[in-house]
Amino acid sequence: MTNPILRGCLFIGSAAALLLWTASSSFALEVNKPVPTERREAMSLADAVLKALQNNLDIHIGRQTKESRLADIIIEQAKFDPTVSLNGQYNRQVAPLNRPILGFTGSNLQDITKFDQNTSGVTADITQNLPTGGNYDINYSPQRSYVSGTNTFLFNPAWTGGLALTVTQPLLKNFGTALNQTFISIAQNNATVEGHVFLDRVLTVIATVEQTFWEMVFANENLKVAQAALKAAEELLASNRAKAKAGVMSIVDVLQAEAAVASRVEQILVAEKSIRDQEDQLRRLLNPAEEELRQDLRLIPTDPPTTSLEAISLQEAIDIAMERRPEILQAGKNVETSELNTKFAKNQILPTLSFQGTMGLSGLGADYGDATRRNFGGDFYNYGAGLVFSYPLGNRSAYSTFNKRQLEARNAQASLQSVRQQVIVGVREAVRRVHTDFKRIETTRSARIMAEKQLQAEQERLKVGLSTTRFVLDFQRDLATAQGNELRAVLDYNKSLSNLARNKATTLERYSLRLE
C-alpha cells in the first residue's frame, strides 16, 4: 500500500514538473519565435572608424574650431596690410571782406567786397604699420582753386600739388620685428594647439569606436556561449525525461534540468539585449541621420579579435608617446606662447621714445600737368625730424602685467611637466594591461579546457549512474562561465591594444590614416 504522504509528494512534484515544463516551453517559444525581417549590415572595425571620422559631431566641431584659429592668424597678419584712402572735395566760399587781400583788392576798401573762391581737390593717402613697430603715411593732394573777379594772381585758376611722407619709428618700447610679430606667433601657436586638440579628439573618437566595437563582438560571442549552454541543458533535459519515463531516473532530476533550461533562456535574453545595446552605442558614434537611427539595423562585426602577443618595449612606447602625444605637444606650445607674452610684457615696461621724420614736395602751375611737373621737380620741398619721449610715472600697469605673465609662464612649465608625468604613468599602465590581459587569455583557456574535461567526465559518470543531474548542471555552468571568461580575456586584450595605441598616439597608423 502506497504511503499517502508519498503520494502527495509525487503529486506535488508532478504538478511542479508540469508547471516548469510549461514555463520552459513558453520561454522556448518566446526565444524561437520568428523575428521580423531586419536589415543587416556587415561592418569591419576599419569601416566603423572611417564612418565615425566622417560623420562624428565632435570631429565636425573640432574641424570648425581649427579653421577659426587659422582665421585668427590672418587677422593678426592683416594688421600690417597697407590702408589706402581716397577723398575728393569741392568747396565754394563767398565771404565779405573787411580788409584788403593782396592781389585781389586795392590798398583800401571803400565798401563791402565779396571774396568768391571755389576749390576742388583730391587726397590720396597710403598708411601702413611696419613689422619694426613703426608706420608711414604717404599723402598726395592736388588741388585747383579759382577766385572770381578782377585779381592780379599769378595763376587763376591755380593748381597746386602736395606730396608728403611721414615716418614714425619707436626706438625702445614696441621696437623690433620679433616683438611686433608676437601676436602673429601667438595666433600660429593657438592654431597649432587647436590642431593638437583636434588630433586628441580624433584619437579619442577612434579609441571609443574600437572599445565599443570589441564590446559588440563580445556580446555576439557571448550569445553563442549562452546558446551552447542552452543546447546542452536541453539535451540533458531530453535525456532525463526519457530516463524518467523509463523509470530509471527520478522526477527531481527532470525538475533540475528544466530549471537549468529556464535559467539558460534568461541568459540568452540578457545576451541579446546586450548585443542591441552595443549596436546602438556604435551607431550613435557613427552619427547617422535621425531617420536612419530610427530604423532597425543589425550590425554584424566581421573582424575577429587578435589573440597573438605583440612585441612591446616599455621604454620605446614611452619615447613614442613623448614625441607624439597631443597633450604634450599642446602643453609645449602653451609654454612657447607664455614666453612670447612674457617678452612682450617686459618690453612694455620701457619708456616710449620714437623718431618722427617728415618730408614733402610741392608745386604750383596753371594746369594740373604744369603743377605736377613742378611738384616732382624738387624745387619746392620741406623736411623735418624729431624725437618724442613719454613715460608714465610709476608704470604700475606694465609692471603688473609683466609679473602676471611671468607667473603664467611658470604655470605653463609646471603643466608641461605634469602632463609628461601623466603620459609616462599612463603608458606604463597600458603596457602592463596588455601583458596582463594576454596572460589572462592563456589562463582562462586552460581553465576552459579543464572545465570541458570535467564536464565530459561527469557526463560519463551520469551515464553509468555514478553522478547526478545536479553535478552535471554545475559542470555545464562552470564550462559556460569558463568560456565567457576566456572570451572576456580575449576581448579585453584587444581593448588593451587599442588603449596602448591611444596612449602612444599611434592609432592613426593602425588604419593608415593621416590628418591634413
Side-chain angles (χ1 to χ4, degrees):
M1 182 175 179
T2 306
N3 192 322
I5 297 178
L6 180 59
R7 289 200 307 270
C9 291
L10 291 174
F11 175 77
I12 294 173
S14 300
L18 178 62
L19 287 174
L20 284 174
W21 179 84
T22 304
S24 64
S25 300
S26 63
F27 283 136
L29 288 174
E30 186 68 25
V31 172
N32 299 325
K33 182 174 64 176
V35 179
T37 303
E38 298 170 320
R39 187 164 66 90
R40 294 176 176 267
E41 179 181 341
M43 179 169 290
S44 66
L45 179 56
D47 292 338
V49 168
L50 289 176
K51 288 186 177 181
L53 294 180
Q54 291 171 354
N55 303 323
N56 187 271
L57 290 178
D58 291 337
I59 298 296
H60 177 72
I61 293 173
R63 189 178 294 115
Q64 298 297 328
T65 305
K66 183 180 178 183
E67 291 179 358
S68 69
R69 292 293 181 267
L70 295 176
D72 291 339
I73 299 177
I74 299 177
I75 292 173
E76 293 299 330
Q77 292 174 337
K79 294 179 179 179
F80 297 99
D81 291 347
T83 300
V84 177
S85 61
L86 189 64
N87 180 24
Q89 290 186 345
Y90 171 80
N91 294 293
R92 181 178 181 184
Q93 181 183 19
V94 180
L97 294 180
N98 191 41
R99 61 181 178 83
I101 292 181
L102 181 64
F104 179 71
T105 63
S107 58
N108 296 312
L109 294 179
Q110 302 299 325
D111 197 358
I112 296 177
T113 303
K114 291 182 179 180
F115 183 75
D116 187 357
Q117 181 183 26
N118 63 77
T119 59
S120 57
V122 176
T123 301
D125 191 83
I126 299 177
T127 61
Q128 183 179 12
N129 294 322
L130 300 174
T132 58
N135 61 78
Y136 70 84
D137 180 276
I138 300 177
N139 182 282
Y140 178 60
S141 53
Q143 180 176 298
R144 176 187 182 276
S145 62
Y146 173 74
V147 179
S148 62
T150 304
N151 58 77
T152 58
F153 296 144
L154 177 61
F155 301 115
N156 190 35
W159 288 80
T160 58
L163 179 64
L165 171 64
T166 302
V167 176
T168 302
Q169 174 59 53
L171 302 178
L172 295 176
K173 182 178 178 181
N174 295 325
F175 171 77
T177 301
L179 181 76
N180 286 277
Q181 291 182 339
T182 295
F183 295 105
I184 295 178
S185 301
I186 290 176
Q188 291 172 337
N189 283 350
N190 290 339
T192 304
V193 166
E194 193 59 43
H196 297 320
V197 173
F198 180 69
L199 174 60
D200 184 71
R201 186 177 286 111
V202 168
L203 297 178
T204 300
V205 168
I206 295 177
T208 304
V209 170
E210 289 177 334
Q211 301 287 320
T212 307
F213 182 88
W214 292 125
E215 282 297 326
M216 186 175 68
V217 172
F218 172 79
N220 280 273
E221 296 300 321
N222 191 51
L223 175 61
K224 295 178 182 178
V225 172
Q227 290 172 339
L230 174 61
K231 182 179 180 181
E234 289 175 338
E235 291 176 352
L236 181 61
L237 174 60
S239 176
N240 286 0
R241 282 176 177 170
K243 292 179 180 179
K245 186 176 182 180
V248 296
M249 182 173 283
S250 68
I251 190 67
V252 175
D253 292 285
V254 176
L255 294 176
Q256 290 175 344
E258 289 176 343
V261 169
S263 176
R264 305 294 189 270
V265 170
E266 178 191 6
Q267 293 174 3
I268 288 179
L269 294 175
V270 173
E272 288 179 340
K273 175 185 177 299
S274 178
I275 292 176
R276 301 308 295 266
D277 290 344
Q278 294 302 324
E279 288 175 348
D280 286 344
Q281 290 296 327
L282 184 58
R283 293 178 66 194
R284 173 65 183 85
L285 293 173
L286 304 184
N287 190 34
E290 182 175 339
E291 290 300 323
E292 183 179 353
L293 194 59
R294 288 172 177 266
Q295 296 176 5
D296 198 7
L297 174 66
R298 302 304 304 269
L299 299 179
I300 310 300
T302 59
D303 288 1
T306 300
T307 56
S308 59
L309 179 62
E310 295 186 5
I312 300 174
S313 169
L314 175 59
Q315 294 304 320
E316 181 181 355
I318 292 176
D319 292 339
I320 293 174
M322 287 297 182
E323 294 177 359
R324 308 186 62 171
R325 277 288 289 270
E327 299 96 320
I328 293 180
L329 300 176
Q330 176 183 348
K333 281 298 177 182
N334 288 337
V335 170
E336 291 183 17
T337 298
S338 64
E339 291 175 351
L340 290 172
N341 280 324
T342 302
K343 291 180 180 179
F344 184 83
K346 183 177 181 180
N347 175 267
Q348 299 303 295
I349 297 176
L350 299 174
T352 299
L353 178 62
S354 299
F355 166 82
Q356 289 184 345
T358 181
M359 62 176 294
L361 299 172
S362 59
L364 175 65
D367 53 39
Y368 175 74
D370 187 26
T372 302
R373 180 178 56 80
R374 296 176 185 275
N375 193 166
F376 292 95
D379 294 331
F380 309 99
Y381 55 87
N382 63 84
Y383 61 86
L387 295 175
V388 178
F389 177 86
S390 68
Y391 186 76
L393 297 180
N395 205 12
R396 293 186 300 169
S397 176
Y399 276 104
S400 298
T401 301
F402 176 59
N403 293 332
K404 179 181 178 181
R405 295 293 182 259
Q406 287 181 311
L407 292 174
E408 292 174 350
R410 287 195 287 268
N411 289 338
Q413 287 285 357
S415 296
L416 175 60
Q417 183 178 359
S418 176
V419 170
R420 291 177 65 88
Q421 293 176 350
Q422 292 175 5
V423 168
I424 293 175
V425 173
V427 172
R428 292 176 61 88
E429 190 276 334
V431 171
R432 282 196 301 269
R433 184 186 301 182
V434 170
H435 289 301
T436 299
D437 288 340
F438 183 78
K439 292 178 181 178
R440 285 175 55 208
I441 295 177
E442 297 176 344
T443 56
T444 54
R445 181 182 294 121
S446 299
R448 187 258 303 164
I449 293 174
M450 292 302 300
E452 290 175 346
K453 292 180 178 179
Q454 289 176 336
L455 174 60
Q456 185 178 3
E458 201 65 25
Q459 287 174 337
E460 295 297 329
R461 288 170 55 84
L462 180 63
K463 288 180 181 179
V464 297
L466 297 178
S467 182
T468 64
T469 299
R470 178 178 179 181
F471 287 146
V472 173
L473 289 173
D474 288 344
F475 283 115
Q476 285 183 354
R477 181 195 59 206
D478 293 343
L479 175 58
T481 301
Q483 290 173 333
N485 290 339
E486 181 184 9
L487 179 62
R488 171 49 68 186
V490 170
L491 272 302
D492 282 350
Y493 175 66
N494 283 263
K495 292 173 65 176
S496 296
L497 292 176
S498 169
N499 179 62
L500 178 59
R502 174 65 181 87
N503 275 273
K504 295 193 300 180
T506 58
T507 306
L508 293 177
E509 282 74 3
R510 299 176 59 168
Y511 304 97
S512 299
L513 296 176
R514 182 169 58 90
L515 290 185
E516 292 293 344

